Amino acid sequence: TLTALSPGANYQSVVTRHGAGGTAYVGLKKGTTPYNNGMTQVTNVKNAATALGRTARVIAVTTVHGESDSYAGNSASYESYLVEWQEDYETDVKAITGQVEDIPMFTDQMSSYTGYLSATSGVPIAQLAASENNPGKIILVGPKYIFNYSDEAHLNAASYRWLGEYYG
């Protein structure tokens, strides 16, 4: 459950990035270098906040992902990947920050598989199912088929900006 922010309160935000482009879930999950980098970033933010007399908490994790698992033939397992990913982030981040609030994962619904001459992919359905089956934990921001692509897999700059607005 997301908690409401207090009106008029003084909040500071930190946004970090620790993904790896073109990488399937197996290369991003708990125990991998990108995941460990994310936990190091959480630790660094907590330490900096503590040094400033502030409290650090992670309010959400975002993931723009799915294409690499679609092509690796893992789409049937993708819903379980998202569930595991969100649970691992929440458990490990809470251990670092000491927070009690849930940490939802925001994701979108990939649609670029047709650019690679594939008529279907199970990943978009898995992304929807993960959101429907895990309310408040996995939040589907929306589909990406509504955006313009610069190639078969990547949105153009304007579309990434719009996608960012949807995440916001």
Side-chain angles (χ1 to χ4, degrees), residues 8-9 14 22 29 47 49 53-54 56 63 77 80 83 86 115 134 139 143 151 153 164:
V14 176
K29 68 182 186 172
N47 291 341
R54 310 277 306 200
T63 179
S77 304
S80 66
V83 171
Q86 186 278 330
N134 300 277
I139 299 166
D151 59 18

Side-chain angles (χ1 to χ4, degrees), residues 6 21 43 57 73 125 147:
S6 300
T43 300
R57 72 181 178 102
I125 299 303
F147 298 114

Side-chain angles (χ1 to χ4, degrees), residues 2-81:
L2 294 173
T3 55
L5 300 178
S6 300
N10 181 11
Y11 294 98
Q12 294 176 327
S13 299
V14 176
V15 178
T16 65
R17 178 206 168 282
H18 58 272
T23 304
Y25 173 70
V26 70
L28 300 170
K29 68 182 186 172
K30 183 174 180 164
T32 64
T33 297
Y35 187 93
N36 294 339
N37 289 345
M39 293 306 111
T40 298
Q41 291 168 348
V42 172
T43 300
N44 291 344
V45 169
K46 182 190 185 304
N47 291 341
T50 300
L52 294 170
R54 310 277 306 200
T55 301
R57 72 181 178 102
V58 174
I59 61 169
V61 174
T62 61
T63 179
V64 178
H65 190 262
E67 290 81 359
S68 294
D69 281 294
S70 178
Y71 308 123
N74 297 327
S75 59
S77 304
Y78 198 75
E79 180 181 357
S80 66
Y81 295 167

